[in-house]
Amino acid sequence: MIIDVIILAAGKGTRMVSDLPKPLHPLLGKPLIHYVAAAAAPLTEKPPVVVLGHGSEQIRDSLGEGLRYVIQSDLLGTGHAVQQAEASLKGTSDLILIIYGDMPLVRTQTLEKLVEAQKAHSGPLTILTLMEENPRGFGRIYRDANGAIQAIVEESDATEEQLDIKELNAGMYCVESDWLWDSLAKIPVSSKGEYYLTDLVAIAAEEGASIASVTVADSRELLGINNRAHLAEAGQILRDRINQQWMLSGVSIVDPWTTYIDPDVTIGQDSVILPGTFLQGNTIIGRECLIGPGTRIFNSQVGDQCEIEYSVVEESRLEDGVDVGPFSHLRKGAHLAAGVHMGNFGEIKDSYLGEGSKMGHFSYLGNARVGKDVNIGAGTVTCNYDGQEKHPTTIKDGVFIGSDSLLIAPLEIGENATTGAGSVVTKDVPPDTVVVGVPARKIRRKDQK
Ligand code: UD1
Ligand code: CA
């Protein structure tokens, strides 16, 4: 059976009160619409069709080329939105799965159940419902005395009695294709001047067709995002889900309520995540690490047995056994080899520190390549920027940089050399040489004590 998927995301998202289109509002770092597209993709062999209107260019750029797009120029309601896909899909599939782009927590397995139910059903459509005390503006499922579904009544059109109905419309439907295209044309215009997709249900009921339903067990999965309060609520539910999953996979999360792990992060077994920690983007954390408290790591790779405390790590790479912090900042392109120790108040950008090197106290390295077993004394600064350009600094293996050294780039400091405390190094230093002063000059070779 051939299945097509339509994702509706043309709406203005007025209730978000935002210049950013609703589908692009981030949930744990990723735009809402990406979650929906990812949940739906496994249900079809074909690229899902996304209906776009408001902010279509931006949304398309964000979702990329793996999907098909159609434009709804006038936003005349959810039924009208589906109609925009008719030209591209008519006659090409047996079933159509329609989902709303503002339901980011829906699981693939739930959509599978919906499709399976429709495959087993003789009528033209199956709808997804949830039981909830708090209706949050969702349409109500109206059933007759025998329990047969008769209509979906939108909140604004519901009678007092209908408002009390606890069974709600999730906004996901699996429909026989031919029936869908025929019936869309029969949707009447609503009191708000829109064509509601939900009216398909009444149309089917009037034809005497039976309408099947699947009710989700966990209604938190069907939280629709209409405003920013809903967004925060969804964020919390998703966060719980992700934290649970990591805890069950052998990661200790001391305080899940203050731990924010983005959906694409991975964490190795026996790592411990301390409170107030944010693991973001495509971050990978190895095994037996101790991360936090108060740490943010974005798009970075952290090896095994690393410790990072009260620090910010962005687009960086830490090999095994590195320790950082408290209060350090690794910026884009920082690469710390195995066993590097970076203590407090350090900043590293676009630099490599070789195995076993140490930078224990308030220092800055930019555009530097540092060898093995180097000691960077307190207060060291690579002066890498002359106001116009960035220049490189190379520090070879075994160098000892004295406290408060200023290294004026471009500069190379040879193997096993030493700079004295407070020196301002303006010229390359040969290997095994001690330089001191301002500007630094050679006082001796290390082998001539
Ligand atoms: C809709 C349903 C409601 C259901 C709820 C579940 C209708 C009429 N109502 O209400 O029964 O309980 O979802 O979340 O369907 N869209 C378009 N083009 C349009 C209008 C909307 O593409 O012209 C898209 C929106 O971008 C959104 C989705 O359709 O992704 C739903 O629209 P929205 O306005 O959020 O509908 P609700 O009021 O939430
Ligand atoms: Ca909605």
Side-chain angles (χ1 to χ4, degrees), residues 127-320:
I127 66 176
L128 194 65
T129 76
L130 62 150
M131 302 300 296
E132 255 301 323
E133 283 302 314
N134 176 6
R136 316 168 66 99
F138 278 24
R140 312 297 202 272
I141 308 296
Y142 175 63
R143 292 176 185 263
D144 68 13
N146 301 320
I149 297 173
Q150 296 300 305
I152 296 172
V153 186
E154 289 307 302
E155 189 167 85
S156 51
D157 300 324
T159 62
E160 283 293 314
E161 212 172 303
Q162 288 168 336
L163 285 175
D164 281 341
I165 298 174
K166 305 292 180 233
E167 189 180 9
L168 309 174
N169 173 34
M172 324 250 165
Y173 320 82
C174 189
V175 196
E176 240 171 46
S177 310
D178 295 343
W179 185 86
L180 173 68
W181 305 123
D182 287 346
S183 306
L184 283 175
K186 300 178 190 162
I187 294 178
V189 64
S190 75
S191 54
K192 288 194 176 158
E194 292 189 5
Y195 298 89
Y196 292 160
L197 186 63
T198 45
D199 283 340
L200 285 182
V201 171
I203 290 170
E206 273 157 36
E207 289 171 2
S210 99
I211 297 132
S213 66
V214 170
T215 304
V216 287
D218 178 8
S219 62
R220 299 193 312 166
E221 203 181 311
L222 298 175
L223 182 81
I225 310 298
N226 291 326
N227 59 42
R228 298 189 200 225
H230 298 156
L231 189 63
E233 214 178 312
Q236 202 163 355
I237 295 169
L238 185 63
R239 191 149 66 85
D240 280 354
R241 232 191 236 178
I242 293 171
N243 288 347
Q244 279 288 330
Q245 180 222 315
W246 287 117
M247 289 188 279
L248 298 179
S249 319
V251 174
S252 284
I253 299 181
V254 172
D255 185 27
W257 296 274
T258 63
T259 303
Y260 297 76
I261 302 172
D262 283 2
D264 297 333
V265 168
T266 65
I267 311 172
Q269 191 190 302
D270 289 316
S271 283
V272 177
I273 314 297
L274 295 170
T277 293
F278 299 74
L279 303 179
Q280 302 177 317
N282 297 311
T283 291
I284 299 171
I285 307 284
R287 296 166 71 101
E288 294 170 38
C289 290
L290 185 63
I291 310 290
T295 290
R296 187 171 80 83
I297 306 180
F298 171 72
N299 278 358
S300 298
Q301 291 133 50
V302 176
D304 297 338
Q305 296 173 334
C306 290
E307 295 187 12
I308 307 174
E309 185 182 4
Y310 286 114
S311 291
V312 175
V313 177
E314 299 158 311
E315 303 189 57
S316 297
R317 179 166 167 219
L318 280 62
E319 295 182 28
D320 298 345

Side-chain angles (χ1 to χ4, degrees), residues 8-11 15 22 51 72 74-78 81 100-103 137-139 152 154 169-171 173 194 196-198 224 226:
L8 301 191
R15 292 164 278 182
K22 179 163 85 171
V51 181
Q72 182 189 20
D74 299 313
L75 302 179
L76 297 179
T78 45
Y100 292 172
D102 62 356
M103 313 283 290
F138 278 24
I152 296 172
E154 289 307 302
N169 173 34
Y173 320 82
E194 292 189 5
Y196 292 160
L197 186 63
T198 45
N226 291 326

Side-chain angles (χ1 to χ4, degrees), residues 37 46 122 132 204 243 261 341 347 351 368 391:
K46 302 158 82 183
S122 58
E132 255 301 323
N243 288 347
I261 302 172
H341 162 69
E347 176 182 341
S351 297
H391 301 284

